[in-house]
Amino acid sequence: GCGGGDDSSSGSGSDDKIVLGFSQVGAESGWRTANTKSIQDSAKAAGIELKFADAQGKQENQITAIRSFITQKVDVIAFSPVVTSGWDAVLKEAKDAGIPVILTDRSVDSQDTSLYVSFLGSDFVEEGKKAGQWLVDQYKGKTGTVNIVELQGTTGAAPAIDRQKGFADTIASDPNLKVVKSQTGDFTRAQGKTVMETFLQSTPKIDVLYAHNDDMGLGAIEAIEAAGKKPGTDIKIITVDAVKDGMTALSEGKINYIVECSPLLGPQLMDIVKQVKSGGTPEKRILTKETTFTQEQAKTELPNRQY
Amino acid sequence: MGEPSPVLEMTGIRKVFPGVVALDGVDFRLLPGEIHALMGENGAGKSTLIKVLTGVYDIDGGQITLGGEQVDFTGPLQSQKAGVSTVYQEVNLCTNLTVAENIFIGREPRKFGRIQWGLMRKRAAELLARLDLNIDVSATLDTYSLAIQQMVAIARAVDVSARVLILDEPTSSLDASEVAQLFTIMRRLKDDGVAILFVSHFLDQVYEISDRLTVLRNGQLIGEYKTADLPQVQLVEKMIGKELAVLEDLEDKSQRIRAKTADAAPILAATGLGRTGAISPFDLTIHQGEVVGLAGLLGSGRTELARLLFGADRADSGSLQIDGKDVTLRSPQAAMKRGIAFSSENRRTEGILGELSVRENIILALQASRGWTRPIPRRKQDEIVDKYIKALQIRPADPEREVRNLSGGNQQKVLLARWLITEPRLLIIDEPTRGIDVGAKAEIQKLVAELSDGGMAVLFVSAELEEVLRLSHKIEVLRDRRLVEELENTEGVDADRIMQTIASGATQ
Amino acid sequence: MTIIKHRLFWPSVILVALLVVNMFTANQFITVRDGHLFGVLPDILRGSAPLLLVALGMTLVIATGGIDLSVGAVMAISGAVACLLIKDLGNQNAVGSVLLIMAVAIGASLLLGLWNGTLVAVVGIQPIIATLILMVAGRGVAQLVTDGQIINVQSSPYAAIATGHFLSVPIAFLIAIAAVVLTVLLTRRTALGLLLESVGGSPTASRLAGIRARRITIMVYVVSGGLAGLAGLIYSANIKSADSISAGNLIELDAILAVVIGGTALIGGRFSIAGTVIGAILIQALQVTVVAVGVPSKATLLFKAVIVVALCLSQSTTFRQKVFGRFKSRPAVTAEVPA
Amino acid sequence: MTTIDATPATNKTPSPTNPRRRVYLPNTKYIPILATLTLLLIMYFTGVANYENFGQPSVVVNLFRDNAVLIVVAVGMTFVIITGGIDLSVGAVISMTTTLTATLLQAGWPPLVVLPAVLLLGSLLGMGMGAVIHYFKVEPFIATLAGLFLARGIALFINQSSIPIRDKLWKAMSEYRIVLADGVVTKITSVTAVVVVLIAAAVLAWTRFGRNVYAIGGNADSALLMGLPVGRTKIAVYTLSGFCAALGGVLFSINSTSGWALQGQGLELDAIAACVIGGVLLTGGSGYVFGSLLGVMVYGLIQTIITFQGDLNAAWTRIIVGLLLFGFIVLQRVVTRRAR
Ligand SMILES: Nc1ncnc2c1ncn2[C@@H]1O[C@H](COP(=O)(O)OP(=O)(O)OP(=O)(O)O)[C@@H](O)[C@H]1O
Ligand SMILES: Nc1ncnc2c1ncn2[C@@H]1O[C@H](COP(=O)(O)OP(=O)(O)OP(=O)(O)O)[C@@H](O)[C@H]1O
Ligand SMILES: [Mg+2]
Ligand SMILES: [Mg+2]
C-alpha cells in the first residue's frame, strides 16, 4: 500500500465525502514526517478524502500542486508554505474557484488576508523567544559573559530565520549573553555534529548551545561527548521541536530545555476543514497547543511521545 | 630570374613542443600559380609548419608574410579570412553534421539571416559532382567512409576562393580516379593563379603535379628544388638522409610463391557471409601464410568485409569457419581469441587513444586479450615496446609520449605495433600504409612479406593498387559492396587487369 | 619549477593554506589525548572519509566517461539497512553480527551499483539519467525502510567505524585510506587502470582493441555503489542513527568537484586518485574553515565561491601562463589537434 | 525543426535520394523525438483514463504554465549541452534574479529598469563563465559550479528571507489572464516560454550561430580548424543560458510575486534531465530544442500524475517518480533501437 495506504484512488463520487487537497513542504526531517503522518491519519479518522502532494521543498511544486487541486475541484485546500511570500496569485485562483484555503504550520505574508480562511500553526519567532527567555532567566543576576554558539537551520528557511530572530531579540536584554559563533547545521544530525566539532575546536569557551532543532542538538551532543565534555552540564543545550529522541536526551540530562513545536496538526486541521465545509468561519489565527519542557517535565512527558 | 614575388614567405620558423624541436629555422616560400610539394619523412615537421602558418600554433621564432604583409594569425579563422584555405592532415570535419553543412559551414548561403537549406544542398551536390562524387549530401558525414570524408574536406577547401590552398596529405586514402579528379581541379586552380601547398608521401603523385618542392628533415630545412631537376632517388635520399634499398627484393614476384600454403588447411573460410546494407554475401578462404589483397573503388565494401571477419560488425547471413569449426563472431574479443587481429583504417577515431602513451597504446590489445587481472609486467612491456619502436622506427622514440602528439605516420606505426605484438594468425590491416613515408612504407611491406613467410595470414586492404599487387598472393576484387572476382596474383595480373574487372563488373 | 607546473600543485597549496588557517583558529591543531589523535586535523581527516570514499568511486566512473548521481541515495539506503538490522539485534554490541550486517548493507549497495551499470552499459542509457533514476527513487526506498524517521542504534562496534581509533588514528580515515590503497593497487597493479582510461578515452577504439568495455563499465558502477555504501555506513555510524533524508544529500556534487579538482577530466580518460584524495580533503577542510573562522552563514556560499573560482583558475594552465608565466603578446590558440 | 529531409536510413545505401522511402520511415534523426512524443501521448492518455478531471484542457495548459520556468531554462541548457558543455548555475541564477528583482522593486526602482537590469546581469554572469571556460580552458562543470556558488551566494547575501513583490506591473503581469477557450486560461509566463522555444528552435535550425553550436559539439578541434568562431560561439551559448536562466527567474518572480534565495534549488538537474530525456546527447553535437520541450513535458506530466494520484507520501512520491522515469526511458530506448 502506498503511503497513506488508503485505497480510494480518486473521488469515486460519493458526494458527502469532503475532499481535502494538502500540499506538504517535503520530507526534510523526522518532524515533517510525523506531521505528514498526523495529517494522513486524522483525515482517515475523520472520513475526509485526502489528496496529498509532496513538494520536495520547492515552492514551484507547491504552486503546481495547488493549481492541480483547483483543476481536480477539491473541496478544501490546505498547505504548509515553503516560504512566506509569493502566494497571492495562486491563492487568488483558488479564491476565484471558490475553494477555501487553510494554511498550516507556516504563515504567508499576503496583504490580502481574505485569500485564506485560517492559519493553523506555530509561531517560529515565538519559539526563539521562549528559548531566549529561558536562558535569560537562567543567568539572571549572574555576572560574567556567557558564550553562546548557535546551530542554525537551513540558510534561508523560514524557521531558521525566525528562530534566530526571536532568540536574538530576547537575549539582547542581557548584555552578558553573547552569541559568539553561529553557523548553519542544515537541520541535520550529521551537520550539527560536524559544525559543533569545529565550534569546539575554534572557540575557547562555550557555555551554551542553541540549536534550531532537536536533530542538530543531538548531533552536537555526540561532538561534545567526543571532545570529553558533558553535554547539559559543561555546555547547556537548548533546542526546539521536542521530538522523541530529543525528549529522551532531555530526560537524560543531556539537553537542558526544549521548546516544543508540535507536528501533530492533523486533528485540529480536520476540525477546521469540517467547520469551513459546513459554512462556519474559523478563527483567522489558530495557534497549536505548544509548550516547553524542562528536564523534569520531560521525564513525565516522555512515555506519551509517539514521534 | 623572372620569378614572380612569393604570395607567402616564411623565414626562420621555429616551433618547440615540450621535449621536441619540431621546426628549427625553416624557410619556405610559395609562388602564385604554383603547386609546391612539401616533402619529408613522418615527423619531419610538415604538418607543424602548416599549423604554424595557419595560426593553429603560436610560433616560437621567425616571420610569416602573406602578400607582402607580415601576418600573425591567431587561429584558422583569421588565416581563412586572409585567403588561406586549408585541408589539415587528418580529416577535420564534424561528423555529426551533414555533408552539405560540412562543406558550407561558416559560409552558408543566407537570406535575411536564415540559412537556405535547399540552395545549400544543391550547391554541395554540384560541387561534389565535379569531384565525381554522387552521394546524398543531406546524410550525416559519419555514415560515409574516411575516403569520402576526405573528398568532402577537399571540396570544402577548394570551394573557397582563396589565394593560398594548403592540402596536407589529401590523397592518403583516395584511389587513382579520385586522385586524378583532384589533380584536375588543382591544375585549374593553379591556372587561376592560386598558390597550392601539397603534402603527400606518394612520390609519383608529387612528380606528376608539383612544380617545386621543399624538403624537410627532422624539423630542418634541407632545401628547395625544382621538381623537374631532382630525380626521385635523390629526393628520397634527401628526405631520409640515406639511400633506400629495401624495395628491390620485393619486386620479384617469383619469390613470393606460396611455399607452405598450397596444401595447408584454410585458417578461415567464409561461405555466404554478409550483412544487409553493408556487404552482400561472399565466399572467401584464407590459408596460413597467405596474403590476400582486397581491391576496389571507394566505398566498394572492403572495409565492411574486413570488419565482418573481425566481428567488429555482426554478420546476418552465411557462416564462418575458423580452423574448420563453425563460429559466430559476436565481438572483436571473440575474433582475437581465435588469433585474428584488425587494424582499422580510421586511426583517429577507431585506432589510437590519444591521451594514452605510446607504450600503453602498443600493449593495449595484448593486454585486453590477457584480461585485466593479468597485467603485462612493466619490464616486459618496455622490452616489447622498445623492440617495436626500433623495428618500425617510431619517432620520437619515447614510449611515454602521448600518442596524440605524434605525427600521423607515426601514429599509424603505433597501431601496427599494437597488433603485431599479439602475434595473430590472421592479420587484417585496413590501409596500413596511409600517411606513411616512403621509407617506412617499404619497411611495412617488407614486414608483411616476412610475416607471411613466417606463416601468418594477412588480409591486406589498401587504396594503392600497386601495393596490393606487390604483396598479395591472391586479390579479391570488390564492387558495389559485392565481391565480384578472385584473382590469383600471377604474371599478367596488373593494375589494368584489376581495373578492367572492376569496370566490367560495373557494366553488368 | 617542475613542481609548480604539476597539476596538483595549486590544489595542494590551497589545501595547505586552509590547514594553516585552521592551525591559528583552533585550540588544538593536532595533539594526543587519551592515547589518540585529537584536534582539527584529525577531525578534518575523519570528517572527509565519506566524501573521500564516494569521490573515489566517482573517479573510476568518471574515468570511463560516466557519472554517478545516485551515490547519495545509495549512502542513505546502506545506512538505513544497517541501522534497521542492528536495531533488531538482541545484543547490539556483538561484533560478529554487526560486521555481518555491514556486509549485507554493502552487498545491497553493490547490487544498486550493478543496477546502474546495467542501465548504462547494457540498456545504453546516458549515465546521468540512468543514475538519476536511482538518485530519485533510491532515497524514497531509504525513507520507506526507515519509515521517514531517524533510526537510532546503540552499537559501539558500529559507532567505532566512524568515531573509533586504531593505533590512535581515526578508524574512519583508515578505512578511507585502505579503500584508496586498494583502489590504487586494483587499478595500477593490474591492467584495470589502463583499460578504464582506454574505455574513457574512446569506447569505439577500445572495443576494436578487444576490450570488453561493457564489463568494465558495469564494474566501475558496482565499485562506486559499494564505496558509496561504505560511506553511508560511516555517515550513519558517526551519528549512531540512520537519517534517510539527509544522508548523502548533494554529496554527488561535492564528489564530482573533488574529482575535478584532482585533475580528472569529466570527459573520461586519464584519472588521478591522488588528485581525488587531495580534492576531497580540501573540500572538507574548506567546510571546517568556514565554520572555524566564523564566516556568517549568509556569506558562506560567497566564500566558497571565491575558493572554487581560485581553484578552477589555478587548474588552468592557460591562466597560470597568463598570470605567472612570461607575458605573451597575444592569446595562445592551443588546439589539441593530432598531427 | 530543420527542413533537412530524407537521410538514408542507417543502412548506408549509397543510393542518393529515394523519394519513396520518405513515406515509410521518418527521418532517422527525428526518431528519438517521435518516440518521446508518442510515449508522452501514451502517458497522457493513461492519465486521462485513470483519473477524473485529467482530461480537462486545463491540465495540458497548466503543464506549460507550471513548467514555464523549466522550459525557458532547458532551452538555454540545450544550447550549452549541444556544444558539449553543461551549465550548473541556472538554478542559482534564478534565485539571484528573483531576489534581486524583489529587492530592487521593494527599494522603489522602476520595473522597466529592473527588468532589463536583471536580464543583463544574468547574461553577464553567463558570459563570464563562458569566457573562463574558453580562455582559461576550465571544465564547464567546475566553472559553472563556481557560478552556482557565486550566484546563490549573492542571493543569500542580499537577503535570506523571501521578499514579497508588491509592484503594480509585476502584480498585473502575474494576474493577467489570457483566455484560450471557455474556462481555459493561461498566463503571460507560459506564452513567454512558448515564444522562447520557437525563437530558439529557429535560431538553432536556421542560423549560422545554430550550425556552429552543433559543429562545436561534434568536434571542437575540427570546428576550430574549419575556421569557425569557436570561442565566440562558446561564450555566446553560456551567455544565452545565463539570459534564459535570468528570464526564468523573472518568470518565477512573476509567477510567485516574490523573490527568495533558495528558489530554483536543484533546478539545474531537472533542466539537464529534461534535455537528455528529450534526446539531447550530453556528449554534444546532437539534439533539438523541441526535444527538450518534450523532456520538460515528461517531467511535468509525471508530476501531474503524482498529484492526481494524491495518496503518496514523500517516500512513495520519489519511488514512483523514479519508476515512471525508468519506464519511460527504457521504453524510449527500446523504441528508438527498434526503429533504427
Ligand atoms: N602538439 C604536439 N605536442 C608535442 N609534439 C608534437 C605536437 N605536434 C607535433 N609534435 C611533434 O612534432 C614533430 C613534427 O610533427 P609533424 O606532425 O609536423 O610531422 P609530419 O611531417 O607532418 O609527419 P607525417 O608525415 O607523419 O604527418 C613530431 O616529432 C611530433 O611528434
Ligand atoms: N560512392 C559512394 N556513394 C555513397 N556512399 C558511399 C560511397 N562510397 C562510400 N560510401 C560510404 O562509405 C562507407 C564505407 O564503405 P567501405 O568502407 O566498405 O568502403 P571501402 O571499400 O573500404 O572503401 P574506402 O574505405 O576506400 O572508402 C559506406 O557505408 C558508404 O556509406
Ligand atoms: Mg603530417
Ligand atoms: Mg576502407
Side-chain angles (χ1 to χ4, degrees):
Chain A
C2 306
D6 65 330
D7 41 357
S8 54
S9 54
S10 61
S12 37
S14 53
D15 297 3
D16 46 347
K17 206 170 185 189
I18 303 174
V19 181
L20 167 69
F22 183 81
S23 165
Q24 179 62 286
V25 174
E28 74 280 7
S29 62
W31 188 96
R32 188 61 65 187
T33 322
N35 179 244
T36 303
K37 225 181 193 130
S38 158
I39 287 166
Q40 284 174 330
D41 291 348
S42 41
K44 210 174 190 179
I48 291 177
E49 186 185 334
L50 181 67
K51 291 263 167 200
F52 182 86
D54 182 280
Q56 295 168 18
K58 293 179 187 168
Q59 183 178 21
E60 66 263 37
N61 289 358
Q62 279 198 311
I63 295 181
T64 307
I66 294 171
R67 250 181 226 147
S68 165
F69 291 148
I70 298 173
T71 313
Q72 294 179 57
K73 308 199 165 91
V74 300
D75 298 314
V76 181
I77 293 175
F79 75 113
S80 302
V82 179
V83 267
T84 48
S85 329
W87 303 99
D88 294 10
V90 70
L91 291 187
K92 197 163 275 170
E93 278 170 48
K95 192 180 172 189
D96 292 348
I99 304 176
V101 175
I102 304 166
L103 307 176
T104 66
D105 177 36
R106 303 176 179 185
S107 183
V108 301
D109 66 358
S110 295
Q111 284 172 326
D112 178 3
T113 51
S114 73
L115 292 177
Y116 56 89
V117 292
S118 181
F119 162 52
L120 163 72
S122 11
D123 183 335
F124 301 135
V125 179
E126 190 57 37
E127 290 163 2
K129 281 188 181 154
K130 285 180 189 163
Q133 194 55 49
W134 181 81
L135 199 62
V136 172
D137 294 344
Q138 287 288 308
Y139 287 92
K140 195 171 279 167
K142 296 193 181 150
T143 49
T145 50
V146 177
N147 285 340
I148 305 168
V149 294
E150 181 181 27
L151 281 170
Q152 302 174 26
T154 309
T155 313
I161 297 168
D162 290 351
R163 286 175 190 165
Q164 180 179 29
K165 186 169 179 304
F167 183 77
D169 289 353
T170 312
I171 61 165
S173 65
D174 183 346
N176 285 337
L177 301 178
K178 257 180 52 194
V179 176
V180 287
K181 282 261 163 66
S182 175
Q183 190 43 257
T184 171
D186 270 334
F187 281 134
T188 69
R189 276 194 201 182
Q191 270 303 95
K193 181 174 180 187
T194 316
V195 175
M196 192 65 201
E197 270 168 11
T198 317
F199 280 167
L200 288 164
Q201 282 297 343
S202 59
T203 322
K205 176 173 154 293
I206 300 175
D207 302 304
V208 175
L209 163 69
Y210 168 47
H212 287 185
N213 75 348
D214 288 345
D215 282 338
M216 289 190 292
L218 292 167
I221 289 174
E222 301 269 324
I224 295 170
E225 285 176 339
K229 294 202 163 96
K230 255 181 91 85
T233 315
D234 296 339
I235 296 176
K236 291 204 163 34
I237 301 177
I238 312 167
T239 65
V240 183
D241 268 5
V243 296
K244 198 172 182 182
D245 291 343
M247 292 296 273
T248 313
L250 182 63
S251 63
E252 287 166 357
K254 292 180 175 176
I255 296 180
N256 303 71
Y257 190 68
I258 298 187
V259 177
E260 189 188 27
C261 177
S262 173
L264 305 180
L265 303 178
Q268 266 176 299
L269 176 62
M270 296 314 145
D271 290 346
I272 302 173
V273 169
K274 283 183 178 160
Q275 196 184 348
V276 168
K277 205 49 208 163
S278 57
T281 35
E283 271 177 64
K284 202 83 208 175
R285 180 85 172 79
I286 303 169
L287 277 182
T288 37
K289 305 164 197 107
E290 281 167 349
T291 172
T292 57
F293 296 102
T294 60
Q295 295 177 339
E296 286 67 42
Q297 290 165 325
K299 283 183 193 134
T300 45
E301 170 66 18
L302 187 59
N304 309 330
R305 288 274 128 175
Q306 332 132 335
Y307 58 92
Chain B
M1 291 196 262
E3 263 183 10
S5 63
V7 269
L8 172 81
E9 189 150 21
M10 304 173 79
T11 44
I13 300 296
R14 181 177 165 80
K15 176 69 203 170
V16 187
F17 291 114
V20 207
V21 182
L23 294 172
D24 190 9
V26 174
D27 297 338
F28 177 79
R29 58 201 187 110
L30 199 54
L31 308 183
E34 76 161 345
I35 296 180
H36 192 130
L38 187 58
M39 304 297 295
E41 285 179 293
N42 292 135
K46 305 177 293 292
S47 302
T48 307
L49 187 75
I50 288 168
K51 285 185 179 163
V52 162
L53 164 61
T54 54
V56 178
Y57 295 148
D58 276 340
I59 37 176
D60 297 323
Q63 268 192 0
I64 305 173
T65 51
L66 185 69
E69 272 173 56
Q70 189 174 336
V71 290
D72 188 6
F73 298 127
T74 53
L77 181 59
Q78 281 73 21
S79 59
Q80 202 168 301
K81 276 189 184 145
V84 181
S85 174
T86 316
V87 175
Y88 294 92
Q89 181 167 6
E90 300 290 333
V91 178
N92 277 292
L93 295 175
C94 294
T95 50
N96 62 325
L97 300 183
T98 65
V99 172
E101 283 175 281
N102 268 294
I103 294 177
F104 283 103
I105 194 160
R107 47 194 193 87
E108 300 92 340
R110 288 184 300 182
K111 201 181 206 170
F112 312 120
R114 183 186 182 289
I115 296 174
Q116 296 174 283
W117 288 102
L119 182 63
M120 191 167 111
R121 282 197 299 271
K122 200 172 121 238
R123 297 224 321 240
E126 282 167 12
L127 192 62
L128 289 175
R130 266 192 279 156
L131 287 163
D132 248 6
L133 205 57
N134 291 310
I135 57 173
D136 179 0
V137 293
S138 54
T140 51
L141 196 65
D142 53 12
T143 52
Y144 293 110
S145 72
L146 200 67
I148 302 276
Q149 296 184 15
Q150 204 162 46
M151 296 293 281
V152 172
I154 293 169
R156 174 183 168 84
V158 164
D159 189 48
V160 187
S161 41
R163 278 192 286 182
V164 175
L165 175 64
I166 299 176
L167 302 167
D168 194 355
E169 301 197 26
T171 57
S172 59
S173 49
L174 301 189
D175 61 31
S177 61
E178 268 71 32
V179 172
Q181 288 293 335
L182 173 63
F183 283 0
T184 320
I185 290 178
M186 281 168 68
R187 287 201 186 91
R188 205 178 56 228
L189 289 172
K190 168 183 156 174
D191 293 342
D192 294 346
V194 177
I196 300 177
L197 168 54
F198 176 73
V199 180
S200 171
H201 288 294
F202 296 104
L203 298 188
D204 297 346
Q205 293 177 4
V206 169
Y207 275 90
E208 182 187 339
I209 191 89
S210 71
D211 302 309
R212 287 185 315 141
L213 29 85
T214 293
V215 180
L216 298 181
R217 191 195 317 146
N218 267 337
Q220 282 176 341
L221 178 69
I222 299 300
E224 188 198 277
Y225 313 91
K226 278 221 161 64
T227 311
D229 299 347
L230 190 70
Q232 273 209 25
V233 192
Q234 273 183 37
L235 169 63
V236 172
E237 226 181 279
K238 290 202 190 305
M239 279 164 58
I240 65 179
K242 59 171 192 260
E243 275 180 54
L244 184 72
V246 266
L247 275 185
E248 270 83 272
D249 46 339
L250 270 183
E251 297 292 350
D252 190 359
K253 260 192 211 165
S254 54
Q255 288 192 345
R256 307 263 314 114
I257 289 174
R258 284 172 278 180
K260 304 165 209 153
T261 58
D263 40 35
I267 291 187
L268 175 145
T271 14
L273 199 68
R275 180 179 161 88
T276 328
I279 179 123
S280 322
F282 62 90
D283 296 341
L284 177 69
T285 6
I286 302 178
H287 297 84
Q288 197 182 352
E290 190 174 42
V291 180
V292 180
L294 294 189
L297 299 180
L298 277 194
S300 55
R302 293 163 297 183
T303 300
E304 315 283 350
L305 189 154
R307 287 173 67 92
L308 281 196
L309 296 184
F310 185 58
D313 295 329
R314 232 183 267 182
D316 55 12
S317 67
S319 66
L320 184 66
Q321 285 196 324
I322 294 177
D323 297 324
K325 275 192 290 266
D326 271 324
V327 290
T328 322
L329 296 179
R330 288 181 207 286
S331 64
Q333 299 97 270
M336 283 166 67
K337 211 179 277 166
R338 298 182 169 83
I340 303 178
F342 168 71
S343 158
S344 164
E345 66 176 336
N346 199 342
R347 67 171 165 246
R348 200 169 97 179
T349 57
E350 298 185 342
I352 62 156
L353 286 145
E355 303 232 297
L356 301 188
S357 68
V358 171
R359 172 176 58 80
E360 289 167 323
N361 266 282
I362 291 182
I363 63 155
L364 196 60
L366 182 61
Q367 183 61 66
S369 62
R370 288 166 63 115
W372 64 271
T373 45
R374 296 198 302 136
I376 306 168
R378 183 57 189 263
R379 231 191 0 189
K380 176 111 180 285
Q381 289 185 20
D382 289 338
E383 212 171 276
I384 304 177
V385 170
D386 268 351
K387 183 171 141 209
Y388 278 88
I389 286 183
K390 282 212 189 73
L392 298 176
Q393 297 170 22
I394 295 172
R395 260 168 304 195
D398 172 6
E400 297 311 317
R401 191 168 286 268
E402 279 186 15
V403 162
R404 63 170 165 189
N405 290 339
L406 256 54
S407 79
N410 283 304
Q411 290 177 0
Q412 186 66 50
K413 294 182 197 167
V414 168
L415 274 192
L416 212 55
R418 174 190 294 174
W419 291 111
L420 289 179
I421 67 168
T422 64
E423 297 176 353
R425 293 163 57 221
L426 168 61
L427 175 64
I428 304 173
I429 32 183
D430 197 356
E431 310 277 3
T433 54
R434 194 163 70 80
I436 286 212
D437 66 37
V438 266
K441 188 181 282 183
E443 294 286 351
I444 288 174
Q445 292 172 2
K446 204 172 99 188
L447 193 74
V448 169
E450 278 169 16
L451 290 172
S452 99
D453 289 345
M456 192 188 289
V458 179
L459 184 68
F460 189 85
V461 186
S462 170
E464 220 188 323
L465 261 186
E466 297 304 322
E467 209 173 46
V468 175
L469 278 164
R470 186 176 304 142
L471 288 172
S472 313
H473 295 121
K474 71 180 185 207
I475 298 174
E476 311 290 327
V477 184
L478 286 96
R479 190 187 64 81
D480 287 348
R481 306 161 172 281
R482 186 186 304 275
L483 206 167
V484 287
E485 197 167 338
E486 178 174 301
L487 297 170
E488 283 298 317
N489 192 7
T490 48
E491 300 294 334
V493 173
D494 57 9
D496 286 344
R497 172 75 216 288
I498 291 175
M499 291 314 289
Q500 248 170 26
T501 312
I502 295 173
S504 66
T507 53
Q508 272 169 15
Chain C
M1 196 56 212
T2 43
I3 297 181
I4 294 188
K5 278 203 182 131
H6 195 276
R7 246 187 11 258
L8 294 179
F9 177 75
W10 287 105
S12 310
V13 165
I14 294 185
L15 174 58
V16 170
L18 289 174
L19 291 180
V20 167
V21 169
N22 277 290
M23 221 155 167
F24 287 111
T25 55
N27 302 341
Q28 287 126 339
F29 185 66
I30 183 162
T31 55
V32 179
R33 212 196 59 192
D34 305 338
H36 27 78
L37 295 177
F38 182 79
V40 194
L41 186 61
D43 274 354
I44 290 177
L45 294 182
R46 191 164 54 77
S48 67
L51 178 59
L52 194 50
L53 288 168
V54 170
L56 194 61
M58 191 70 82
T59 310
L60 302 186
V61 173
I62 287 180
T64 64
I67 202 154
D68 187 353
L69 296 183
S70 71
V71 283
V74 174
M75 274 178 74
I77 292 178
S78 133
V81 167
C83 286
L84 197 69
L85 293 176
I86 291 178
K87 201 186 68 175
D88 290 343
L89 279 183
N91 170 16
Q92 294 197 7
N93 289 332
V95 177
S97 329
V98 170
L99 280 179
L100 189 69
I101 286 170
M102 283 169 33
V104 169
I106 291 180
S109 314
L110 291 172
L111 282 179
L112 294 173
L114 183 65
W115 160 267
N116 280 335
T118 311
L119 285 190
V120 172
V122 181
V123 186
I125 300 178
Q126 294 195 57
I128 202 167
I129 288 294
T131 55
L132 180 77
I133 293 171
L134 187 57
M135 176 191 185
V136 175
R139 198 168 288 281
V141 171
Q143 275 168 264
L144 214 56
V145 170
T146 62
D147 201 18
Q149 294 296 341
I150 292 180
I151 302 181
N152 298 302
V153 295
Q154 300 300 331
S155 162
S156 47
Y158 187 57
I161 62 167
T163 51
H165 289 78
F166 179 72
L167 298 177
S168 76
V169 182
I171 292 179
F173 186 62
L174 287 180
I175 293 178
I177 287 304
V180 169
V181 171
L182 214 66
T183 313
V184 170
L185 288 182
L186 192 69
T187 52
R188 299 302 180 196
R189 288 278 162 242
T190 71
L192 190 62
L194 172 65
L195 301 191
L196 271 179
E197 289 177 338
S198 163
V199 171
S202 162
T204 335
S206 302
R207 192 176 94 89
L208 286 180
I211 295 172
R212 290 167 207 271
R214 190 175 278 189
R215 209 180 272 186
I216 289 188
T217 310
I218 293 180
M219 194 152 102
V220 294
Y221 284 93
V222 171
V223 170
S224 172
L227 288 171
L230 187 56
L233 292 182
I234 295 181
Y235 180 97
S236 91
N238 187 35
I239 50 174
K240 295 190 197 136
S241 54
D243 183 348
S244 61
I245 292 153
S246 48
N249 195 20
L250 294 183
I251 202 172
E252 60 280 350
L253 225 55
D254 277 344
I256 297 169
L257 184 61
V259 173
V260 177
I261 288 174
T264 301
L266 276 175
I267 45 164
R270 288 280 189 212
F271 66 91
S272 157
I273 290 177
T276 300
V277 172
I278 292 183
I281 299 180
L282 195 156
I283 291 174
Q284 182 67 20
L286 178 60
Q287 244 131 30
V288 167
T289 312
V290 165
V291 181
V293 301
V295 178
S297 51
K298 70 170 185 173
T300 308
L301 261 181
L302 269 184
F303 183 82
K304 282 191 189 168
V306 170
I307 301 280
V308 173
V309 168
L311 260 172
C312 93
L313 289 182
S314 76
Q315 286 277 302
S316 152
T317 339
T318 338
F319 178 80
R320 290 200 304 259
Q321 256 171 23
K322 275 177 197 163
V323 176
F324 304 108
R326 48 212 154 109
F327 283 79
K328 283 200 175 173
S329 53
R330 59 181 167 84
V333 180
T334 38
E336 298 287 9
V337 198
Chain D
M1 282 308 87
T2 60
T3 50
I4 311 173
D5 47 39
T7 351
T10 26
N11 62 13
K12 301 177 180 179
T13 326
S15 80
T17 38
N18 178 352
R20 260 178 311 163
R21 192 175 36 220
R22 231 175 294 173
V23 186
Y24 304 116
L25 258 188
N27 199 326
T28 43
K29 44 185 200 188
Y30 297 142
I31 285 179
I33 286 202
L34 289 175
T36 314
L37 187 61
T38 317
L39 288 173
L40 189 68
L41 290 177
I42 291 175
M43 197 153 103
Y44 174 74
F45 286 111
T46 316
V48 172
N50 279 312
Y51 303 107
E52 210 180 318
N53 292 329
F54 203 96
Q56 287 187 27
S58 62
V59 168
V60 178
V61 174
N62 280 355
L63 215 49
F64 279 87
R65 190 167 150 201
D66 295 330
N67 296 294
V69 175
L70 191 56
I71 291 175
V72 172
V73 171
V75 163
M77 187 70 80
T78 307
F79 280 79
V80 173
I81 296 184
I82 291 179
T83 63
I86 201 156
D87 188 353
L88 297 181
S89 71
V90 287
V93 171
I94 286 180
S95 73
M96 184 180 77
T97 312
T98 61
T99 310
L100 208 63
T101 309
T103 311
L104 293 180
L105 288 175
Q106 211 171 42
W109 284 41
L112 288 180
V113 175
V114 173
L115 183 65
V118 293
L119 290 181
L120 186 70
L121 191 72
S123 315
L124 281 179
L125 187 74
M127 185 190 276
M129 291 185 298
V132 167
I133 289 166
H134 172 66
Y135 288 113
F136 300 142
K137 309 264 173 296
V138 174
E139 286 237 19
F141 186 93
I142 188 169
T144 56
L145 186 66
L148 181 159
F149 287 163
L150 197 69
R152 203 177 290 285
I154 291 174
L156 278 172
F157 199 74
I158 296 174
N159 201 334
Q160 295 184 39
S161 352
S162 70
I163 317 151
I165 295 176
R166 313 226 189 272
D167 177 78
K168 280 209 195 67
L169 181 66
W170 246 256
K171 281 224 139 126
M173 286 198 287
S174 166
E175 276 157 27
Y176 186 76
R177 295 150 59 96
I178 300 167
V179 181
L180 296 178
D182 204 24
V184 185
V185 174
T186 193
K187 295 275 170 111
I188 290 184
T189 48
S190 39
V191 175
T192 314
V194 172
V195 170
V196 167
V197 167
L198 292 179
I199 294 178
V203 165
L204 206 50
W206 288 328
T207 66
R208 219 168 250 193
F209 170 68
R211 291 298 104 187
N212 291 345
V213 168
Y214 281 101
I216 290 175
N219 188 336
D221 294 336
S222 290
L224 188 76
L225 292 183
M226 285 164 95
L228 302 181
V230 173
R232 223 191 304 148
T233 310
K234 263 194 191 168
I235 296 176
V237 294
Y238 286 96
T239 313
L240 187 77
S241 177
F243 173 83
C244 284
L247 183 61
V250 169
L251 294 186
F252 223 129
S253 70
I254 292 174
N255 194 10
S256 67
T257 54
S258 76
W260 185 34
L262 294 191
Q263 210 71 273
Q265 242 176 346
L267 193 113
E268 55 279 350
L269 210 58
D270 294 345
I272 294 169
C275 292
V276 176
I277 292 172
V280 182
L281 283 187
L282 268 182
T283 39
S286 117
Y288 301 95
V289 172
F290 191 59
S292 301
L293 175 67
L294 290 182
V296 175
M297 292 293 119
V298 170
Y299 240 63
L301 205 56
I302 289 180
Q303 197 74 42
T304 313
I305 289 178
I306 298 275
T307 353
F308 269 84
Q309 177 66 30
D311 59 354
L312 304 175
N313 64 8
W316 278 106
T317 302
R318 288 175 162 280
I319 295 174
I320 301 290
V321 169
L323 286 180
L324 285 177
L325 209 57
F326 170 74
F328 190 90
I329 289 165
V330 169
L331 273 180
Q332 186 188 36
R333 203 46 223 162
V334 170
V335 172
T336 350
R337 231 188 230 172
R338 277 282 155 74
R340 282 185 175 240

